[in-house]
C-alpha cells in the first residue's frame, strides 16, 4: 500500500464508520460569491476573466463523455473557439445514456402564469434535495433553466406544443406548478439530439475533434494540475495519450455499481474513479436515487431494468394482496376487501403520488413482508382497472398507450387486462466528484459536469431536474467558469515523455496486461452481479450499521477474489468487451466499498437514503441536521487494490434563503 | 427453449468472417434477444472461447446501439429494436441466423459490431440548425403550429440504428436522411439553411457509399421507430428545390 501524506489536522474517524476512515480538514471554501443569492451568478460571470478570441484557439480542452453535459459543453467551447477533443465509449455521441430520459425538463418560464418563478424553482429543488444541496448552485440552476429552453427550441428540439403554436407544459413529480417542458416520453432523446447536432456542427467546422469508441483509463496530472488523459481506442486497442490545458469529465453516473439498474449497460465510474485516485475528492457517494416504477426482474438472466414513466402513478392504483396466500392468484380474482392499497392507506393526503423514495421504500416493505407478487415475490401491482372504468379504455390508451405497449412487449402480459407489476430500481446517483461553484474539482484544471459531479441534487433528485442540470452545466455554467481558469494560459507545455505522462500510460498498460494474465475461472459479469447484489441488499433503499459493516467485508473479499480469479479471454489489440468490462468492474469494486463507508458514516435518513437507525416513531425518514448537514467529500488514501483509510473532508451546508424543514407526506 | 444458432464471427475489419454454429439450451422466453446472447457468451467464456462481440447499451430501445440481422431481417421478426425483441418471438428448437448489418458504408469491426460513423458525418454536413449558445430568442418568440411540431417530432424519433440501411437492397440511407430533413424542415428555425442542408447531407450520403433509393420501402417497414416512407418524398422535393436554387 502506498503511503500518502495526510494533511495537517487529520484524525481518526468517528461514529459508526470510525474504524474505516480518517477525518481531515473541512472544506471551507466552495468559491460561491457572497451577497444576495439572485446576484451571485451574475457577479461570478462578470468577475470571470476573458480570453481573447485569438488566444482561444491556442488553448485546448479535453471533454470525456458526450451526454447532455458533455456534448453541450463541447459544442459551446468549440463555438467559442477553443481547441476541443471529445471522447466517448459509444460509436456516436448521440447514444449517450441521457437519451433514455423520458419525462421532461424543468424551467422557471412561468408560461402558464401559475405563480412559478426562479425563486420557486430554486426553493422546490432545495427542499426536494432534502436540504443536502448547495443553495448557490441550485439558484444558478434555476436561473439558467430559462435560457436552456430558449437554446433548445432554437436548435429545433420538437417540444410539445399547443394549438396556438406555443410550448406546452405539464406538472411533474408532485410539484404544484406546470414547469416541465417535454417531447412526449422522449425528452432526453430530443434534448440530446439537439446537443449532438450542435456538437457535430462544430466537428464539421473543425473546432471539435471527436474520438468514438475511446475510453478514458487514466487522468494525467502534471505539477498538481490536470493536463490530459490516457485513453484506449476500443477498436484497435491502442493506448493513446491526449494532452490539453484543461480536462472536463462529463462521464455520467455510477448506478451500474448495482449491476441491475435503469442505466445503460456501459455506464461506469472509471473516468471519475481514476480521477479520484489521482486526488479528486468523491462527494456523497452513497446518495442513490431509487425509482419506484420499474418493470420487475423476471429471472436470473436479467441484465437491465426498464423504467416505466412515473406519470403512471397519476391514474394507477398501487396495491398488494392482504393475505400472503393470495400472492399467486390471478389478481382479478382477488376481492376488493382482500387488497391493501397501502400508499392510500398510509399516506392519505398524497396517496399514490408520494415522492419516489417513499413509494419505493413502501413497496420494499410489502415485499419484505412476503406480500410481493410475481416472480421471486419482488413486485407490487399498479392497477388501471379503476382508471379504465372511470375514463374509458380509449382515454387511458391516449394518455399511456406507449408505456402499456412497452410493458406488454417486455413482460408478455396485457396491462389493460391485468394489473402491471412494478418494483423499485436504481435510477440516478446524486453523489459524484466534488466540485466548487466553478465546477472545478480538487485537482486544478479538472472540471466535472452533469451527473458526474455531486453539486445540485442533494439527497433526492426531483423529476425533470437531471436534464436541466446536464444542460445548465454544459451550455451555460462551465463555459463561463472555465474561462477564468483558461485566462491563466498559455500554460507550460507538457510532452508525452514527461515522467507523469509516462507513469500514467504505463499504469494503464500494466493494468490491462494484469487483467489478461490472471487467467482465472470466473467471468467478469459474475463478479459484477455479485457486487450488485451486495450493494442492493445492504446499501440500497434501507441501510443499517450491521448490514453496511457486513457489506464492506464482503466487498473486500470479492475484490481480492477478483484479482486472483477473474477470467478475461482474447487480446488487448482488438475489440474485447470482456476486457472493457473488467476495467469497469474493478473500479466498481472499489467505489462500492466507499459508498458503504459513506453510508455507514451518515447515520441519518435523507432522500432515498434510509438509515434504519434514524426514523420517526411511525417509521418515516428522519434527517439529523445538527450532525449531518454537510457534504461528505472523500479523499483517496489507498493503494493498488485497496481503499486504505479514506479521508473525510466535510463541507458544511448553510441555508440562508430556505428554511430547513422536516418533510411530511401524511 | 433449445436453440440452434448460426452466428457471424469475424476477428477484425480485415479478417475473413464466417458463420459458426452454436447450441443453446434452457433459454427462457422472458429473456430479451441480447440476454440470450449474454447467456451464450457466459457459456463460451467458461469453455475458454472468446465471447461474441455485439453492440448494445441502453437495452431500452432508444439509444440505437444494437442492431442485428436475425433470420435475414433487420432487428428480427418484430418491428422493434433487437434489445426489445424477446425470445417468446421464437420457437423451441428453432434455428436462428444472426449477422451484422450488411452495407459497404457500415464496415464490420468485429463479429456483429459495425462502424456506423458515416451517419455522424452526414449530420456534420448540415443536419443541424446553426445557433450559438446564449444567443437564442425567447422560446415563445417563434410559435410553431401544432401539426408541424407533431410532424417534426414524429420524424425526430429516428434513433440512427441503421436498420433502414441494412434492410434496403441498395443499402441506401434515404430514410435516415429524410427523417432529419423533415424534422428540421418542419420548423421555422430550420428554414434559413434548408437548401444547404439537403445538398450537404445528400452529397455526404453518396460519398459514404450508401446506395440510391428505388422506393422499395423495406426501410420503413424495418424501422423500429416507425419513420414514415414519405420522408423520402420530402427529401427528394427539398433536393429538387435546392438544386434549382443552387448557384451554378
Amino acid at each position: 500500500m502506498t503511503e500518502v501524506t495526510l494533511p495537517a489536522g487529520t484524525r481518526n474517524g468517528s461514529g459508526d464508520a470510525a474504524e474505516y476512515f480518517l477525518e481531515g480538514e473541512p472544506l471551507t471554501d466552495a468559491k460561491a460569491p457572497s451577497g444576495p443569492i439572485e446576484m451571485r451568478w451574475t457577479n461570478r460571470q462578470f468577475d470571470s476573466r476573458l480570453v481573447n478570441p485569438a488566444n482561444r484557439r491556442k488553448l485546448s480542452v479535453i471533454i470525456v463523455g458526450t451526454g447532455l453535459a458533455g456534448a453541450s459543453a463541447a459544442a459551446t467551447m468549440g463555438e467559442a473557439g477553443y481547441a476541443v477533443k471529445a471522447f466517448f465509449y459509444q460509436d456516436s455521441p448521440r447514444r449517450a445514456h441521457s437519451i433514455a430520459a423520458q419525462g421532461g425538463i424543468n424551467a422557471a418560464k412561468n408560461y402558464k402564469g401559475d405563480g412559478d418563478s426562479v425563486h420557486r424553482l430554486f426553493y422546490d429543488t432545495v427542499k426536494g434535495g432534502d436540504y443536502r444541496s448547495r443553495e448557490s448552485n441550485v439558484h444558478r440552476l434555476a436561473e439558467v433553466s430559462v435560457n436552456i429552453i430558449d437554446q433548445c427550441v432554437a436548435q429545433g428540439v420538437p417540444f410539445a406544443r399547443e394549438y396556438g403554436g406555443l410550448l406546452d407544459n405539464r406538472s411533474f413529480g408532485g410539484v404544484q406548478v406546470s414547469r416541465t417542458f417535454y417531447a412526449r416520453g422522449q425528452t432526453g432523446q430530443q434534448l440530446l439530439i439537439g446537443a449532438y447536432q450542435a456538437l457535430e456542427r462544430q466537428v464539421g467546422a473543425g473546432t471539435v475533434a471527436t474520438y468514438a469508441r475511446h475510453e478514458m483509463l487514466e487522468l494525467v496530472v502534471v505539477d498538481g494540475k490536470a493536463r490530459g488523459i490516457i485513453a484506449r481506442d476500443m477498436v484497435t486497442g491502442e493506448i493513446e495519450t491526449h494532452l490539453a490545458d484543461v480536462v472536463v469529465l462529463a462521464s455520467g453516473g455510477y448506478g451500474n455499481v448495482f449491476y441491475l439498474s435503469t442505466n445503460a449497460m456501459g455506464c461506469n465510474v472509471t473516468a471519475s474513479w481514476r480521477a479520484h485516485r489521482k486526488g479528486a475528492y468523491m462527494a456523497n457517494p452513497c446518495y442513490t436515487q431509487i425509482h419506484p416504477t420499474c418493470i420487475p426482474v423476471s429471472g436470473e438472466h436479467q441484465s437491465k431494468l426498464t423504467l416505466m414513466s412515473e406519470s403512471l402513478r397519476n391514474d394507477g392504483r398501487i396495491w398488494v394482496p392482504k393475505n400472503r396466500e393470495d400472492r399467486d392468484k390471478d389478481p382479478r380474482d382477488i376481492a376488493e376487501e382482500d387488497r391493501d392499497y397501502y400508499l392510500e392507506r398510509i399516506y392519505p393526503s398524497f396517496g399514490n403520488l408520494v415522492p419516489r423514495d417513499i413509494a419505493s421504500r413502501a413497496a420494499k416493505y410489502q415485499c419484505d413482508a412476503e406480500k410481493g407478487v410475481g416472480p421471486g415475490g419482488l413486485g407490487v401491482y399498479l392497477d388501471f382497472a379503476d382508471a379504465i372504468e372511470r375514463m374509458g379504455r380509449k382515454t387511458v390508451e391516449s394518455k399511456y398507450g406507449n408505456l402499456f405497449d412497452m410493458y406488454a412487449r417486455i413482460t408478455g402480459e396485457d396491462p389493460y387486462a391485468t394489473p402491471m407489476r412494478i418494483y423499485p430500481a436504481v435510477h440516478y446517483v446524486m453523489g459524484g466528484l466534488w466540485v466548487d461553484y466553478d465546477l472545478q474539482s480538487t485537482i486544478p484544471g479538472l472540471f466535472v459536469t452533469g451527473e458526474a459531479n455531486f453539486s445540485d441534487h442533494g439527497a433526492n433528485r426531483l423529476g425533470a431536474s437531471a436534464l436541466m442540470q446536464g444542460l445548465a452545466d454544459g451550455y451555460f455554467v462551465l463555459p463561463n467558469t472555465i474561462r477564468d481558469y483558461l485566462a491563466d494560459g498559455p500554460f507550460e507545455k507538457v510532452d508525452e515523455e514527461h515522467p507523469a505522462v509516462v507513469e500514467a500510460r504505463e499504469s494503464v498498460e500494466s493494468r490491462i496486461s494484469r487483467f489478461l494474465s490472471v487467467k482465472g475461472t470466473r467471468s467478469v459479469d459474475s463478479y459484477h452481479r455479485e457486487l450488485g447484489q451486495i450493494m442492493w441488499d445492504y446499501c440500497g433503499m434501507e441501510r443499517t450499521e450491521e448490514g453496511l459493516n457486513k457489506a464492506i467485508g464482503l466487498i473486500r473479499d470479492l475484490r481480492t477474489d477478483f484479482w486472483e480469479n477473474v477470467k478475461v479471454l482474447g487480446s488487448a489489440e482488438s475489440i474485447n468487451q470482456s476486457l472493457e468490462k473488467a476495467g469497469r468492474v474493478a473500479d466498481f469494486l472499489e467505489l462500492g466499498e466507499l459508498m458503504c463507508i459513506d453510508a455507514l458514516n451518515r447515520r441519518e435518513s435523507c432522500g432515498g437514503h434510509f438509515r434504519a437507525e434514524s426514523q420517526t416513531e411511525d417509521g418515516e425518514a428522519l434527517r439529523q441536521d445538527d450532525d449531518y448537514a454537510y457534504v461528505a467529500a472523500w479523499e483517496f488514501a489507498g493503494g493498488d487494490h485497496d481503499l486504505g483509510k479514506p479521508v473525510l473532508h466535510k463541507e458544511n451546508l448553510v441555508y440562508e434563503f430556505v428554511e430547513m424543514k422536516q418533510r411530511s407526506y401524511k | 427453449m433449445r436453440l440452434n444458432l448460426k452466428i457471424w464471427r469475424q476477428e477484425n475489419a480485415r479478417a475473413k468472417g464466417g458463420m459458426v454454429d452454436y447450441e443453446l439450451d434452457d433459454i427462457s422466453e422472458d429473456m430479451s434477444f441480447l440476454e440470450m446472447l449474454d447467456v451464450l457468451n457466459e457459456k463460451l467464456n467458461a469453455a475458454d472461447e472468446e465471447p461474441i462481440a455485439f453492440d448494445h447499451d441502453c437495452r431500452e430501445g432508444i439509444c440505437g446501439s444494437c442492431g442485428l440481422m436475425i433470420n435475414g431481417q433487420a432487428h428480427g421478426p418484430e418491428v422493434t429494436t433487437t434489445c426489445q425483441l424477446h425470445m417468446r418471438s421464437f420457437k423451441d428448437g428453432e434455428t436462428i441466423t444472426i449477422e451484422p448489418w450488411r452495407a459497404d458504408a457500415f464496415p464490420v469491426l468485429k463479429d456483429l459490431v459495425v462502424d456506423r460513423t458515416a451517419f455522424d458525418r452526414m449530420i456534420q454536413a448540415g443536419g443541424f440548425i446553426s445557433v450559438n449558445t446564449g444567443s437564442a430568442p425567447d422560446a415563445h418568440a417563434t410559435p410553431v403550429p401544432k401539426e408541424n411540431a407533431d410532424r417534426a417530432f414524429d420524424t425526430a424519433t429516428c434513433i440512427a440504428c441503421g436498420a433502414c440501411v441494412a434492410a434496403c437492397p441498395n443499402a441506401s440511407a434515404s430514410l435516415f436522411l429524410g427523417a432529419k430533413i423533415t424534422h428540421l424542415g418542419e420548423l421555422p428555425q430550420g428554414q434559413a439553411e434548408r437548401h444547404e442542408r439537403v445538398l450537404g447531407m445528400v452529397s455526404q450520403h453518396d460519398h459514404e457509399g450508401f446506395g440510391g433509393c428505388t422506393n422499395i420501402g423495406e426501410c420503413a417497414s424495418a424501422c423500429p421507430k416507425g419513420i414514415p416512407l414519405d420522408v423520402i418524398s420530402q427529401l427528394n422535393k427539398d433536393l429538387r428545390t435546392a438544386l434549382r436554387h443552387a448557384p451554378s
Side-chain angles (χ1 to χ4, degrees):
Chain A
M1 184 181 136
T2 336
E3 278 299 319
V4 295
T5 317
L6 297 172
T10 304
R11 55 191 180 280
N12 284 322
S14 56
D16 294 348
E19 62 174 295
Y20 296 110
F21 76 98
L22 300 171
E23 192 170 334
E25 295 287 335
L27 283 162
T28 50
D29 186 10
K31 305 250 184 68
S34 53
I37 195 146
E38 61 279 3
M39 287 307 294
R40 288 181 184 180
W41 178 230
T42 305
N43 290 340
R44 185 75 192 92
Q45 288 176 88
F46 184 75
D47 293 341
S48 177
R49 290 168 294 162
L50 301 175
V51 180
N52 108 43
N55 286 339
R56 290 182 204 159
R57 58 179 169 269
K58 297 178 207 150
L59 293 163
S60 53
V61 183
I62 281 174
I63 296 178
V64 181
T66 51
L68 285 177
S72 56
T76 308
M77 298 295 290
E79 280 162 22
Y82 300 99
V84 180
K85 287 182 176 182
F87 295 81
F88 43 96
Y89 72 76
Q90 299 91 345
D91 65 335
S92 166
R94 65 175 296 140
R95 308 207 198 279
H97 193 56
S98 308
I99 206 160
Q102 298 170 343
I105 177 166
N106 286 335
K109 281 283 200 184
N110 196 28
Y111 279 164
K112 293 284 172 200
D114 54 5
D116 201 9
S117 63
V118 166
H119 196 83
R120 195 178 296 279
L121 176 53
F122 155 69
Y123 174 90
D124 287 348
T125 307
V126 169
K127 181 176 170 228
D130 232 348
Y131 310 95
R132 294 292 177 267
S133 48
R134 286 191 193 134
E135 281 189 329
S136 298
N137 287 57
V138 175
H139 197 278
R140 174 175 67 189
L141 179 66
E143 282 175 63
V144 303
S145 69
V146 176
N147 306 112
I148 293 171
I149 301 302
D150 298 340
Q151 177 69 24
C152 295
V153 166
Q155 287 170 344
V157 171
F159 285 117
R161 300 227 169 215
E162 294 172 337
Y163 281 98
L166 300 180
L167 293 158
D168 193 13
N169 295 110
R170 60 186 175 196
S171 75
F172 204 81
V175 172
Q176 288 165 303
V177 293
S178 288
R179 64 161 71 107
T180 306
F181 293 79
Y182 64 102
R184 283 185 218 159
Q186 305 183 355
T187 315
Q189 183 189 15
Q190 296 308 325
L191 295 174
L192 182 67
I193 287 175
Y196 155 77
Q197 287 174 185
L199 169 62
E200 294 297 351
R201 173 178 163 236
Q202 293 306 316
V203 175
T207 64
V208 180
T210 48
Y211 294 79
R213 295 189 195 268
H214 272 65
E215 184 160 43
M216 166 181 162
L217 295 176
E218 198 55 85
L219 180 72
V220 174
V221 180
V222 177
D223 299 330
K225 290 187 177 135
R227 290 304 301 270
I229 63 169
I230 309 295
R232 178 171 181 269
D233 178 332
M234 293 155 76
V235 177
T236 64
E238 195 180 336
I239 304 301
E240 301 173 1
T241 302
H242 295 272
L243 300 171
D245 295 316
V246 69
V247 177
V248 179
L249 299 188
S251 46
Y254 50 76
N256 266 355
V257 68
F258 290 90
Y259 187 72
L260 285 181
S261 79
T262 64
N263 287 196
M265 301 297 284
C267 291
N268 66 85
V269 76
T270 290
S272 295
W273 193 255
R274 297 282 112 199
H276 173 59
R277 293 182 64 106
K278 281 274 165 83
Y281 294 178
M282 178 66 83
N284 298 336
C286 79
Y287 284 170
T288 307
Q289 189 194 57
I290 313 279
H291 202 292
T293 49
C294 291
I295 299 178
V297 173
S298 66
E300 282 179 6
H301 57 270
Q302 193 109 8
S303 60
K304 173 72 177 49
L305 295 174
T306 301
L307 187 69
M308 301 288 287
S309 168
E310 198 169 18
S311 64
L312 290 169
R313 289 197 285 143
N314 283 319
D315 287 301
R317 297 180 72 196
I318 293 171
W319 63 276
V320 291
K322 275 185 185 163
N323 309 309
R324 285 175 198 175
E325 52 277 18
D326 284 352
R327 284 186 300 162
D328 297 327
K329 257 194 193 168
D330 184 325
R332 289 168 293 187
D333 297 337
I334 301 174
E336 196 64 22
E337 62 269 21
D338 292 328
R339 301 175 175 192
D340 180 10
Y341 295 90
Y342 57 89
L343 289 176
E344 298 170 30
R345 171 171 58 82
I346 308 170
Y347 305 98
S349 58
F350 276 72
N352 294 299
L353 288 172
V354 290
R356 291 177 179 181
D357 58 315
I358 296 193
S360 297
R361 208 157 45 242
K364 177 180 187 293
Y365 289 156
Q366 296 302 325
C367 297
D368 288 351
E370 295 179 15
K371 292 187 177 173
V373 295
L378 293 175
V380 299
Y381 289 125
L382 175 62
D383 197 340
F384 281 83
D386 284 357
I388 291 171
E389 203 178 301
R390 177 164 45 87
M391 301 188 279
R393 174 165 168 156
K394 272 225 144 56
T395 311
V396 172
E397 271 177 23
S398 69
K399 272 178 104 167
Y400 306 111
N402 59 333
L403 296 165
F404 277 54
D405 293 347
M406 181 175 83
Y407 183 87
R409 176 169 294 290
I410 292 174
T411 62
E413 293 169 14
D414 175 9
Y416 291 104
T418 58
M420 294 183 185
R421 290 173 293 107
I422 54 165
Y423 197 66
V426 170
H427 185 48
Y428 190 90
V429 293
M430 289 78 69
L433 291 178
W434 186 90
V435 288
D436 62 20
Y437 187 73
D438 291 345
L439 305 184
Q440 186 165 214
S441 72
T442 46
I443 300 175
L446 179 70
F447 290 76
V448 190
T449 65
E451 193 180 353
N453 77 30
F454 87 101
S455 66
D456 295 0
H457 300 307
N460 186 27
R461 181 180 75 78
L462 289 177
S465 66
L467 302 183
M468 180 170 60
Q469 189 210 345
L471 291 181
D473 284 0
Y475 282 134
F476 299 103
V477 180
L478 179 86
N480 278 295
T481 59
I482 205 171
R483 205 176 63 211
D484 192 62
Y485 182 83
L486 288 170
D488 281 332
F491 297 86
E492 199 175 326
K493 203 166 155 31
V494 176
D495 66 38
E496 296 207 5
E497 299 320 308
H498 188 287
V501 181
V502 172
E503 185 270 330
R505 196 166 50 228
E506 283 175 351
S507 85
V508 167
E509 283 161 355
S510 73
R511 206 168 138 81
I512 287 173
S513 54
R514 176 83 191 268
F515 288 130
L516 290 167
S517 66
V518 177
K519 296 189 194 303
T521 54
R522 274 187 72 176
S523 71
V524 178
D525 279 348
S526 76
Y527 284 100
H528 195 177
R529 276 175 197 274
E530 189 172 337
L531 172 68
Q533 194 65 50
I534 295 169
M535 296 303 293
W536 180 249
D537 287 346
Y538 302 111
C539 198
M541 271 183 281
E542 182 169 327
R543 299 116 185 237
T544 63
E545 183 181 345
E546 189 193 351
L548 289 163
N549 273 304
K550 185 172 172 191
I552 292 168
L554 290 171
I555 294 168
R556 288 179 174 178
D557 292 347
L558 189 64
R559 192 166 58 227
T560 307
D561 190 67
F562 175 88
W563 288 104
E564 287 165 2
N565 256 323
V566 73
K567 178 183 199 173
V568 182
L569 300 170
S571 82
E573 283 81 44
S574 71
I575 293 179
N576 186 340
Q577 294 173 333
S578 306
L579 179 64
E580 292 159 18
K581 284 189 274 194
R584 296 170 192 163
V585 171
D587 288 336
F588 279 140
L589 281 163
E590 295 180 12
L591 166 74
E593 182 179 332
L594 185 66
M595 289 171 73
C596 292
I597 293 172
D598 186 46
L600 190 55
N601 173 59
R602 190 168 286 273
R603 198 186 179 94
E604 69 162 343
S605 301
C606 59
H609 163 122
F610 189 80
R611 266 298 287 267
E613 294 90 345
S614 182
Q615 48 183 305
T616 62
E617 277 174 12
D618 37 5
E620 298 300 329
L622 182 64
R623 281 201 327 270
Q624 306 284 352
D625 292 333
D626 291 344
D627 298 323
Y628 297 104
Y630 64 76
V631 175
W634 298 93
E635 178 185 355
F636 185 76
D640 263 0
H641 309 137
D642 169 13
L643 239 50
K645 284 195 176 190
V647 182
L648 171 64
H649 300 271
K650 296 177 182 173
E651 177 199 337
N652 279 324
L653 291 165
V654 180
Y655 292 90
E656 297 172 70
F657 303 93
V658 183
E659 188 196 346
M660 294 166 103
K661 286 184 192 148
Q662 188 64 27
R663 296 192 303 165
S664 170
Y665 295 92
K666 295 247 165 172
Chain B
M1 312 168 70
R2 202 184 51 74
L3 299 168
N4 300 309
L5 303 170
K6 291 183 178 301
I7 302 180
W8 183 264
R9 301 293 316 250
Q10 182 174 335
E11 183 61 33
N12 56 48
R14 295 167 306 283
K16 195 168 170 329
M19 303 299 286
V20 180
D21 291 350
Y22 300 95
E23 274 184 30
L24 208 48
D25 214 342
D26 284 336
I27 292 299
S28 146
E29 62 171 25
D30 288 332
M31 285 180 189
S32 71
F33 198 83
L34 299 184
E35 284 166 350
M36 181 274 290
L37 287 179
D38 291 341
V39 170
L40 174 63
N41 273 345
E42 283 288 284
K43 204 178 136 190
L44 292 179
N45 195 66
D48 288 336
E49 195 178 333
E50 207 185 325
I52 298 157
F54 60 93
D55 262 332
H56 64 102
D57 204 14
C58 79
R59 295 201 175 187
E60 286 189 27
I62 196 76
C63 76
S65 294
C66 64
L68 302 173
M69 293 303 279
I70 300 167
N71 291 338
Q73 286 177 285
H75 292 302
E78 314 263 338
V79 182
T80 186
T81 54
T82 305
C83 65
Q84 296 295 291
L85 177 68
H86 286 73
M87 296 314 293
R88 65 180 75 90
S89 300
F90 298 88
K91 289 196 253 342
D92 185 33
E94 195 171 335
T95 298
I96 306 176
T97 307
I98 308 171
E99 300 159 273
W101 283 162
R102 295 177 294 199
D104 272 357
F106 288 165
V108 174
L109 296 175
K110 181 171 184 169
D111 296 341
L112 304 170
V113 177
V114 301
D115 181 353
R116 285 170 290 194
T117 48
F119 273 10
D120 292 332
R121 288 188 292 273
M122 285 191 278
I123 298 294
Q124 287 158 24
F128 48 76
I129 290 169
S130 296
V131 50
N132 279 2
T133 304
S135 57
D138 185 272
H140 270 184
T142 317
V144 182
K146 192 171 184 323
E147 311 81 89
N148 301 79
D150 286 350
R151 170 91 169 152
F153 180 89
D154 287 339
T155 51
T157 56
C158 168
I159 55 174
C161 62
C164 49
V165 174
C168 175
N170 292 336
S172 173
S174 290
L175 194 74
F176 170 80
L177 273 191
K180 188 49 62 192
I181 293 293
T182 309
H183 162 208
L184 299 177
E186 284 290 330
L187 301 169
Q189 295 88 329
Q191 301 313 309
E193 295 163 296
R194 191 164 185 157
H195 294 167
E196 264 177 76
R197 177 177 307 118
V198 70
L199 293 172
M201 291 186 81
V202 168
S203 158
Q204 189 66 34
H205 171 274
D206 297 349
H207 175 75
E208 294 288 351
F210 293 106
C213 172
T214 51
N215 286 307
I216 291 170
E218 287 286 336
C219 52
S221 62
C223 175
K225 296 295 155 182
I227 302 294
L229 191 59
D230 66 3
V231 299
I232 298 179
S233 315
Q234 186 68 58
L235 167 70
N236 290 332
K237 189 177 169 206
D238 276 27
L239 184 60
R240 279 196 307 273
T241 315
L243 285 169
R244 268 204 300 276
H245 290 86
S248 49

